[in-house]
Amino acid sequence: MDLETGGTGLNDVCEIGWQDVVMGKDGKWHVTEERGALLVNPGRPISADTMAVHHILDAQVADAPLWKEIASKVLRPAGCLEALAAHRAAFEQRYCTPRLTGGTPWICTWKCALRLWPDLPRFSNQMLRYQRMPVGLVHDIGLPAHRAMPDAYVSAHHLRDMLNETSLDQLLAWSSEPGLLPRVPSGPDRGKRWDSLADETLQDFARDRDADIRFSAQTELACRGDRSEPRTIEPAQKSFL
């Protein structure tokens, strides 16, 4: 799956794209010919910021159905559906709620790529495309980038290779956890592997605001036998609900 949006509201979808990955009679997973995209009317003007990314114009979606009218038809197709998948699936899950999906589980191909191919330098959908050059990926079908169907098509090739490398259950398990980053993503320790850091440095990262950084540091500490929960530092200013 891939979504393009017109803003940050929960109904601001302006395009949905999909590409099926199916297990064949040979027991292997394959990218099929079943793919497509639909424009969606976000119900308000598309922001210039998002238009500059996907180049979808207000005039193109003016007569398109609303998200609530089209979502379930695409997200709950006829037949056997094992899972929905997207690259950095947390974004799609904001819009594809359990009410619309029927509670279908999600695979995040970004989180799974971190686990399966940790030695790669970068993990965006398009960088994986050119770093890995998946077999059978037709270059032109995967273009233009940042449109729903081409992006879904590229993600599907990563997903196919992941499913042929490990189990569906394993991908679902990894997707349910924060991302296990192979290296420190920023700051003075940027690019260093977690196993090269001192315990004290890892303890600091284990209190980071970013869930992926916290999880990655905590995982390394656990590997070293430190299974204690890091103390959370309370903010000086309390928040009010």
Side-chain angles (χ1 to χ4, degrees), residues 4 45 49 53 58-59 75 81 83 96 102 139 154 174 208 214 219 225 235-236:
E4 302 300 332
D49 284 341
V53 175
D58 289 327
L75 297 171
L81 181 65
C96 304
H139 186 73
V154 171
W174 286 336
D208 197 272
R214 288 199 309 272
T219 299

Side-chain angles (χ1 to χ4, degrees), residues 123-201:
F123 297 91
S124 72
N125 197 33
Q126 296 297 331
M127 280 300 296
L128 287 176
R129 170 186 187 169
Y130 292 111
Q131 288 171 156
R132 299 188 58 255
M133 301 297 284
V135 173
L137 193 157
V138 179
H139 186 73
D140 289 347
I141 297 178
L143 294 174
H146 307 302
R147 288 298 300 265
M149 191 283 290
D151 280 1
Y153 175 77
V154 171
S155 298
H157 283 79
H158 306 321
L159 176 62
R160 175 204 62 192
D161 293 346
M162 292 169 179
L163 286 164
N164 286 328
E165 190 166 335
T166 191
S167 70
L168 171 64
D169 287 344
Q170 181 64 82
L171 297 185
L172 290 169
W174 286 336
S175 298
S176 69
E177 298 178 331
L180 185 63
L181 306 172
R183 294 170 292 278
V184 179
S186 60
D189 293 305
R190 179 179 181 180
K192 293 182 180 178
R193 298 184 64 88
W194 300 100
D195 60 9
S196 71
L197 302 179
D199 285 1
E200 183 177 346
T201 303

